[in-house]
Amino acid sequence: MEDHNHQTLPSDLTLRVKALESLLVEKGLVDPAALDALVDTYEHKIGPRNGGRVVARAWVDPAYKKRLLQDATAAIAELGYTGAQGEHMVVVENESSVHNLVVCTLCSCYPWPVLGLPPVWYKSAPYRSRAVIDPRGVLAEFGLELPQDVEIRVWDSTAEIRYLVLPERPAGSEKMTEQELAALVTRDAMIGVARL
Amino acid sequence: MNGVHDMGGMHGLGRIEYEKNEPVFHAPWEARTYALTRAMAAWRKWNIDAARHQRELLPAEDYLRMSYYESWLERLVQIMVKSGLVTRAEIETGKPAPGAPKATPPLTADMVPGTVRRGAAASRDVAAAARFKVDQKVRALNFHPSGHTRLPRYVRGKTGTIVRNHGVFVFPDTNAHFLGEKPQHLYSVRFAARELWGAQAAPRDAVYVDLFEDYLEPI
């Protein structure tokens, strides 16, 4: 995205969005304080830490993990994470012989309540186009080389189901508390482009 | 529609650009565009499928050239004008049309936490018999509607296996065009990577795609 000959200049976009917001406020169509609240929610309150807590709970509590794999929406709601773009959740579990990878080839579907808003690369044409045809090549670009005998399952989010990968608990983490474990879990591992 | 948005399996779209410690928004205008889009959706003049379709309607060269939130901004303007919430002249002048009544925003700051927490379920509690069973072999239809669809091109005509019935959901192909929700069963369908991509794919790999009943036929 370095080619500014073809990209709209950011200063133009700043002006256009300011003009649009003031028009919509003047027409009484939006409340500017609601905009502030929405931005604050996704910048500060909702993000991959939520998903990390879900994963850590599943690692330490087998009964929770069972519920999570059976009805992820309800199990994730137990920890207080619900709502927009997480209304219908499915959790897919990594094993030594199975690796899961999540994509949305048609747009940018992503489980907001547990991961926040998606990073640019997840929404980009290179990732969306290649994750389904060449998952091993994509993972290699992220530094993850998987042996041929590991089965890769790619989940294309084509409807309203949102996917979260349950990574394997890292070796050597047996003595860690649930809170310490949650801090180990990365966004990328919960999308499936990394292992822990 | 067979648009450039339906890019699963395409080559030549470049390297994946990874940014370490990426911020949620890269500039205030991105954050405002996101929030404006959410706040304007509260008018309920369109639905999520119509909004997705509006982004697909961007000219292909714009879709590939624009940054993500620039395409959101473009989509928001188009769908607001189409729905009559604003006029093209108002967008161009930045001023409300003379004599236009002042509205009351349907989403206020105090409502934001509840709105975010509740979301909007796409499942529907209607009785419908499921046409397909788990483990059944199915074929994705080879059809090419010019309107909105969530059946990606790369699975059309391909054979897969039902692995899960998610329940009854709103059908995007009609809902996006305000032709009704047509609720129907939604399935997770497993396609062997080799069925989709041939011998170049690893033998055990698979792609799982969520497909509506209307996209599938029994074998």
Side-chain angles (χ1 to χ4, degrees), chain B residues 63-112:
Chain B
Y63 189 99
L64 292 173
R65 173 184 56 84
M66 286 177 175
S67 72
Y68 184 70
Y69 284 112
E70 189 181 354
S71 75
W72 272 49
L73 174 62
E74 203 55 46
R75 181 252 305 264
L76 178 61
V77 169
Q78 303 282 355
I79 206 163
M80 286 191 307
V81 170
K82 208 183 258 187
S83 70
L85 283 171
V86 295
T87 65
R88 185 57 67 185
E90 288 176 323
I91 296 286
E92 276 159 17
T93 60
K95 288 281 158 207
K102 182 152 179 161
T104 305
L107 182 73
T108 49
D110 57 306
M111 294 161 67
V112 165

Side-chain angles (χ1 to χ4, degrees), chain A residues 6 8 108 149 156 158 188, chain B residues 18 65 68 70 154 204 210:
Chain A
H6 296 290
T8 309
S108 52
D149 60 349
D156 190 355
T158 50
D188 291 358
Chain B
Y18 189 89
R65 173 184 56 84
Y68 184 70
E70 189 181 354
Y154 74 88
R204 298 180 61 211
D210 288 325

Side-chain angles (χ1 to χ4, degrees), chain A residues 171-183:
Chain A
S173 66
E174 293 76 12
K175 290 190 177 152
M176 294 175 87
T177 65
E178 185 177 335
Q179 206 178 356
E180 288 167 335
L181 289 168

Side-chain angles (χ1 to χ4, degrees), chain B residues 182-202:
Chain B
K182 205 181 177 190
Q184 56 187 273
H185 283 269
L186 173 70
Y187 304 89
S188 173
V189 183
R190 178 187 188 277
F191 294 92
R194 285 200 165 167
E195 164 73 5
L196 301 175
W197 317 112
Q200 72 183 68

Side-chain angles (χ1 to χ4, degrees), chain A:
Chain A
M1 294 301 190
E2 299 301 320
D3 190 351
H4 290 286
N5 292 325
H6 296 290
Q7 287 245 298
T8 309
L9 289 173
S11 55
D12 293 345
L13 287 162
T14 298
L15 293 176
R16 270 180 68 198
V17 174
K18 274 196 176 147
L20 183 63
E21 180 177 334
S22 61
L23 171 67
L24 298 179
V25 169
E26 209 175 327
K27 281 176 70 69
L29 294 172
V30 297
D31 167 16
L35 304 180
D36 296 340
L38 280 162
V39 172
D40 180 58
T41 300
Y42 288 93
E43 277 195 325
H44 303 298
K45 296 183 179 143
I46 297 181
R49 280 187 190 185
N50 295 1
R53 290 190 193 108
V54 171
V55 168
R57 176 66 53 87
W59 284 344
V60 300
D61 181 347
Y64 181 77
K65 178 176 158 182
K66 197 174 167 201
R67 293 200 296 283
L68 185 65
L69 294 174
Q70 269 170 3
D71 182 350
T73 314
I76 291 168
E78 288 178 35
L79 301 195
Y81 311 132
T82 62
Q85 292 300 306
E87 295 94 341
H88 311 284
M89 291 292 306
V90 167
V91 169
V92 289
E93 184 185 12
N94 280 355
E95 298 163 42
S96 56
S97 60
V98 175
H99 185 82
N100 294 283
L101 177 68
V102 180
V103 66
C104 173
T105 61
L106 296 174
C107 52
S108 52
C109 298
Y110 193 73
W112 294 354
V114 281
L115 294 186
L117 299 181
V120 169
W121 61 260
Y122 179 88
K123 304 175 287 195
S124 72
Y127 181 73
R128 287 166 50 195
S129 59
R130 285 171 48 212
V132 285
I133 189 173
D134 183 22
R136 288 170 189 275
V138 166
L139 292 177
E141 259 178 60
F142 281 89
L144 182 60
E145 306 259 4
L146 292 178
Q148 285 288 319
D149 60 349
V150 172
E151 174 186 339
I152 297 183
R153 298 177 182 165
V154 182
W155 301 84
D156 190 355
S157 319
T158 50
E160 296 301 334
I161 311 298
R162 298 291 167 265
Y163 291 91
L164 184 76
V165 175
L166 175 59
E168 283 186 284
R169 182 170 173 165
S173 66
E174 293 76 12
K175 290 190 177 152
M176 294 175 87
T177 65
E178 185 177 335
Q179 206 178 356
E180 288 167 335
L181 289 168
L184 286 184
V185 184
T186 63
R187 175 199 69 196
D188 291 358
M190 292 182 281
I191 301 172
V193 293
R195 294 198 137 200
L196 297 174

Side-chain angles (χ1 to χ4, degrees), chain B residues 123-217:
Chain B
S123 54
R124 291 294 178 264
D125 193 10
V126 297
R131 192 169 167 217
F132 304 107
K133 291 196 289 278
V134 169
D135 291 332
Q136 187 173 348
K137 290 247 185 287
V138 290
R139 185 181 297 113
L141 295 181
N142 179 23
F143 81 150
H144 297 265
S146 57
H148 184 63
T149 186
R150 298 290 286 185
L151 174 64
R153 263 179 286 180
Y154 74 88
V155 301
R156 293 179 193 169
K158 304 290 185 181
T159 298
T161 307
I162 305 270
V163 294
R164 185 176 191 141
N165 182 340
H166 293 299
V168 175
F169 282 76
V170 173
F171 187 48
D173 300 38
T174 48
N175 198 42
H177 300 283
F178 307 101
L179 296 173
E181 294 192 337
K182 205 181 177 190
Q184 56 187 273
H185 283 269
L186 173 70
Y187 304 89
S188 173
V189 183
R190 178 187 188 277
F191 294 92
R194 285 200 165 167
E195 164 73 5
L196 301 175
W197 317 112
Q200 72 183 68
R204 298 180 61 211
D205 292 355
V207 182
Y208 293 71
V209 187
D210 288 325
L211 297 177
F212 289 86
E213 199 155 85
D214 276 7
Y215 298 159
L216 299 170
E217 59 185 359

